[in-house]
Amino acid sequence: MSNIEKALCIENLTYSYKNKEKPAVLNFSLQVEKGSFTTLLGPSGCGKTTLLRCISGFLNPTEGSIYINGVNQNDVEPNKRKIGMVFQDYALFPHLSVEANIMYGLKVNNTYVDSNGKIIKYSKRQLQEKVHDVTEILDLQDYLSRYPHELSGGQQQRVALARAIVLNPEVLLMDEPLSSLDTKLREKVRDELKEIQHKLGITTIYVTHDQEEALSLSDTIAIINNGTLQQIGSPRDVYYKPANAFVADFVGRANFLQLQGQSYMVRPEWLTEVTIDNDSKTDKIQGTVISSAFLGDKTRFRIQTEEGIIIADLPTLQSNHLDEGRSVSLQISHKWKL
C-alpha cells in the first residue's frame, strides 16, 4: 500500500543525540493502519520515546521521513501536526478545572477550515459543545468543575485523553500513560482505554515497556531493542511466533531448549506434567523441582534439567505434590523453532 493509504508511515528513520556514540533509533520503518492501535514495546532506553518525539515533531530525524495521511511531516512544526499527545504524568494544569483543561487546546487552536476552505473561528458555544461531546464519551460530565487534585488517577487519565482527542487528531500518541497507576486501577483504565479507542476509531501509537499492557491493548505490536525494529505483528504472532530470542524472552517468559539438534522456545505454560511411564512420542523433559511460587490458579516451578534450569507454570490443584527435590517429567505441548 502507498503512504496515502496509511495513517502513519515512518521510512528509514534514524535519530542520533549529539552526546551519544550510537543512534537512539536506527533505520526504523513502520506503517500504521488508520484506526488501529499500535504499541511500541521495548525495554527502557531502547528508543521508544525518541520515536514518539520524532513523530510529534519535538525532535527532527537525522535521516528518514515521517508521513501522516500521506503528508511528509519533516518540515512541519509540532503545533501544525494533527497529533494529540497523552503524557506519562498527564501534564494537567493544576490551577484549571477539568472543563478548562479540556478546553485549553481548543482556545489555542480555535479555528477550523469549513467545506469551502474558509478558516472559521470557533464560537464560545461551539467550544462548549465540543467539550460536552468528548466528556460524554469519556464519562466526565460530572467532573467538569473539579480540579485535578480532586480526581482519582483513572479520572485524571481520562481528562488528559479528553484534552487530546477534543482536537480531532489524526494520530494519538500515548507515552506510558498508565505507569503511575496501581495494578488494579491500571487494569481497569486499560480496559476503558481500549473501549474508547475502538469507539472513536482514532489511530493510536502507544509506548510501553509492559508486555501485558501491549498484548491486551494492541492490534499491532512493534518490538524495539537498541533503536532497531525486532518484529512487528499481532499480539498472538509476537507471543507464539517470536522472530528471535530477544522477542521470545522479552514478550512473556521463555525457556530455550535444544531438541533433536534444533533451538526451540517453549513458554512455561506449554509444559504439562506426565507420568514417567507415559509412552507418548511427544518431547519430554526430566528434572528435579528446585523451588515453587504459588500464583493462585497456577504454580510456577523452577526445575533443574540436563539443559539447565527451566520454568514451568502448572495448574495448582494438579501440582500440589511437587515439593522441592521431587523428580518430575514434563511434556511439551507446543514449541516454536528459533
Side-chain angles (χ1 to χ4, degrees), residues 37 134 136-140 154 157-158 161-162 165 172 189-202 204 217:
F37 195 115
V134 76
E136 283 284 333
I137 293 170
L138 295 173
D139 195 25
L140 289 168
Q157 198 268 351
R158 279 186 280 151
L161 183 58
I165 66 176
L172 177 64
V189 176
R190 188 174 68 200
D191 293 341
E192 290 177 352
L193 179 59
K194 189 171 184 177
E195 289 177 11
I196 292 164
Q197 192 273 336
H198 283 176
K199 184 188 295 183
L200 296 175
I202 295 179
T204 301
L217 280 171

Side-chain angles (χ1 to χ4, degrees), residues 134-263:
V134 76
T135 53
E136 283 284 333
I137 293 170
L138 295 173
D139 195 25
L140 289 168
Q141 60 271 30
D142 295 332
Y143 304 98
L144 293 178
S145 62
R146 295 191 188 182
Y147 289 82
H149 72 273
E150 298 175 310
L151 304 176
S152 68
Q155 290 164 349
Q156 289 182 29
Q157 198 268 351
R158 279 186 280 151
V159 174
L161 183 58
R163 188 176 60 182
I165 66 176
V166 76
L167 297 171
N168 296 322
E170 293 179 354
V171 176
L172 177 64
L173 307 179
M174 307 188 77
D175 190 5
E176 304 208 39
L178 309 184
S179 61
S180 62
L181 305 180
D182 62 57
T183 303
K184 275 277 189 184
L185 184 55
R186 190 185 306 133
E187 291 176 359
K188 180 178 182 295
V189 176
R190 188 174 68 200
D191 293 341
E192 290 177 352
L193 179 59
K194 189 171 184 177
E195 289 177 11
I196 292 164
Q197 192 273 336
H198 283 176
K199 184 188 295 183
L200 296 175
I202 295 179
T203 304
T204 301
I205 309 298
Y206 190 95
V207 162
T208 186
H209 63 271
D210 187 306
Q211 299 93 330
E212 184 177 322
E213 219 168 80
L215 291 170
S216 62
L217 280 171
S218 313
D219 299 314
T220 302
I221 300 176
I223 300 170
I224 306 168
N225 188 37
N226 293 326
T228 62
L229 181 64
Q230 301 293 307
Q231 183 175 359
I232 182 167
S234 69
R236 286 184 177 275
D237 280 346
V238 298
Y239 189 80
Y240 284 99
K241 303 173 183 179
N244 52 45
F246 172 80
V247 175
D249 195 40
F250 190 77
V251 183
R253 294 178 179 271
N255 298 301
F256 298 99
L257 303 173
Q258 289 291 317
L259 302 169
Q260 293 86 47
Q262 298 286 344
S263 297

Side-chain angles (χ1 to χ4, degrees), residues 2 6 10 50 79 88 122 167 194 221 223 225-226 287 328:
S2 68
K6 300 291 181 179
I10 302 172
T50 298
N79 62 320
Q88 184 174 349
Y122 285 115
L167 297 171
K194 189 171 184 177
I221 300 176
I223 300 170
N225 188 37
N226 293 326
V328 63

Side-chain angles (χ1 to χ4, degrees), residues 76-91:
V76 179
E77 294 296 320
N79 62 320
K80 300 296 183 183
R81 301 188 185 194
K82 294 182 178 180
I83 285 176
M85 283 204 71
V86 178
F87 300 94
Q88 184 174 349
D89 61 358
Y90 308 142

